[in-house]
Amino acid sequence: MKSLLFVCLGNICRSPLAEGIAKKIADERGLDIHIDSAGTGSWHVGESPCSDSIKVAKSHGVDISRQRARQVMKEDFERFELIIALDENNYNDLKRLGARSLVKLGSFGHDGEDVPDPYFFPGYEGFDKVYTMIESCLSVLFDENGQ
């Protein structure tokens, strides 16, 4: 893999976590991979990840505080080798937009299960569960691709 793009709805919770975790794994494995994230919606463009995503990432040694939300663009489908949707709705939206090389993150070790959006869960616990799920899916993704 040479480039990965993680996509969720607003690019402030799940996809920034996936970007940060993937960069950490790539660094630990000595891999040179371009990794980014985006959202299908435009509501949060230019914003930092939500405070709970920053907090849970930091508790695992990952700094996502400097990331800024952006909306996915059709050009991304040419620039990235693999587009990774965080849930079925994102997957379907990306497919309608013409994304190729598209997969769901949950298909790596979680039987296609959606990565739930912790933004809609009360409290911090949902963010910790989402972090753990993303991390385990990414480990499988990198392992399966010989990374």
Side-chain angles (χ1 to χ4, degrees):
M1 296 181 298
K2 295 178 182 160
S3 57
L4 304 172
L5 179 67
F6 297 97
V7 182
C8 69
L9 184 61
N11 194 215
I12 60 166
C13 294
R14 296 171 292 170
S15 57
L17 285 171
E19 177 186 343
I21 297 165
K23 285 179 175 178
K24 179 182 180 189
I25 292 170
D27 286 346
E28 291 171 349
R29 297 181 183 200
L31 303 172
D32 183 23
I33 301 173
H34 177 61
I35 301 168
D36 198 2
S37 63
T40 56
S42 62
W43 311 279
H44 300 289
V45 169
E47 294 179 21
S48 300
C50 70
S51 61
D52 283 335
S53 286
I54 292 171
K55 180 179 172 184
V56 74
K58 188 174 185 176
S59 75
H60 290 274
V62 177
D63 182 8
I64 63 170
S65 64
R66 286 173 270 173
Q67 292 183 26
R68 294 295 173 263
R70 71 176 188 89
Q71 188 172 19
V72 70
M73 302 176 291
K74 288 192 177 197
E75 296 82 20
D76 290 327
F77 306 150
E78 300 300 322
R79 291 179 40 221
F80 290 91
E81 183 178 342
L82 188 61
I83 311 290
I84 304 168
L86 278 287
D87 67 30
E88 187 72 23
N89 289 332
N90 304 137
Y91 181 91
N92 291 333
D93 288 343
L94 289 163
K95 199 170 186 177
R96 275 191 291 279
L97 290 170
R100 297 178 305 229
S101 300
L102 177 63
V103 296
K104 277 179 46 179
L105 184 58
S107 64
F108 296 96
H110 283 268
D111 297 325
E113 185 180 344
D114 284 350
V115 176
D117 191 341
Y119 190 77
F120 297 105
F121 291 110
Y124 179 77
E125 184 177 310
F127 286 86
D128 199 43
K129 288 181 179 179
V130 164
Y131 185 97
T132 300
M133 181 179 184
I134 291 171
E135 185 177 49
S136 69
C137 289
L138 288 175
S139 290
V140 172
L141 170 67
F142 278 84
D143 289 346
E144 284 184 2
N145 285 280
Q147 305 284 316

